[in-house]
Amino acid sequence: MAHLSSTGMTDIQKAIGTRHLSACFQQPGADAGFMQRVVKQNVCLENTMMNGLTITGTVRVANISYHKHVKVRFSVDNWVTHHDIPGNYVAGSCDGPTDRFSFSLVLPSDFSVGSKLKFAISYSVGNQTFWDNNYEQDYVFECFTKTCPSKSSDQAWLHFL
């Protein structure tokens, strides 16, 4: 365990592991047809990044009108309840046909291993509202644990890190 103790992990983290989030979907912005999807739906999640229990992301919307509102609707209890957070316009992001918005979502500290966060994107412009919910599958993040090897034979690979 000498290699692990130098990383500053606590004994508890060594014993139970640390939580991390994993996206249960492909990042839409990496798809070759991403811009066509934005044009067709008028709104589409572009990408997400995770840092601890914080998810940040960007959204592309069709530039239909100057005044627009983007929000992320999310649930941690399979839509029994939900919360909305606003998207923020990314200055200088207009490429003519689209604009970019960003968001940051902080999960509760008691978000436990096995828990899932589901979310969808809403784009309101004029009297219209458009949704991106990953083709009716919702965007989903699941919480997993990273555990440390407990047997000395399992720790051999740590030498190479």
Side-chain angles (χ1 to χ4, degrees):
M1 287 300 237
H3 295 292
L4 290 177
S5 62
S6 65
T7 64
M9 290 176 43
T10 66
D11 289 338
I12 294 171
Q13 285 175 312
K14 290 177 195 174
I16 64 169
T18 57
R19 294 174 294 170
H20 78 279
L21 298 174
S22 180
C24 301
F25 57 91
Q26 298 291 323
Q27 297 290 339
D31 186 355
F34 173 70
M35 289 309 287
Q36 290 82 3
R37 186 172 169 187
V38 174
V39 169
K40 182 179 180 183
Q41 298 180 171
N42 292 310
V43 59
C44 189
L45 176 70
E46 188 169 25
N47 69 28
T48 57
M49 294 175 286
M50 293 82 54
N51 184 8
L53 293 179
T54 300
I55 300 167
T56 57
T58 57
V59 176
R60 280 281 182 176
V61 299
N63 192 7
I64 297 172
S65 173
Y66 180 77
H67 297 285
K68 42 185 87 79
H69 300 280
V70 171
K71 69 181 174 185
V72 177
R73 176 164 289 177
F74 72 96
S75 175
V76 295
D77 58 11
N78 202 29
W79 299 114
V80 173
T81 61
H82 68 269
H83 304 280
D84 294 333
I85 58 169
N88 300 303
Y89 177 73
V90 176
S93 68
C94 182
D95 62 3
T98 68
D99 284 312
R100 181 179 283 138
F101 283 75
S102 66
F103 66 91
S104 184
L105 194 157
V106 180
L107 292 168
S109 60
D110 63 349
F111 196 72
S112 60
V113 171
S115 296
K116 292 182 180 180
L117 165 91
K118 295 183 176 187
F119 73 97
I121 311 295
S122 169
Y123 168 44
S124 298
V125 57
N127 60 356
Q128 300 177 77
T129 300
F130 304 98
W131 285 91
D132 175 23
N133 63 355
N134 194 23
Y135 300 113
E136 299 182 6
Q137 300 296 308
D138 295 323
Y139 291 103
V140 179
F141 282 91
E142 188 167 356
C143 185
F144 291 96
T145 186
K146 289 184 181 178
T147 58
C148 296
S150 57
K151 295 186 249 172
S152 60
S153 62
D154 293 339
Q155 295 176 25
W157 64 272
L158 291 174
H159 173 73
F160 298 104
L161 293 180

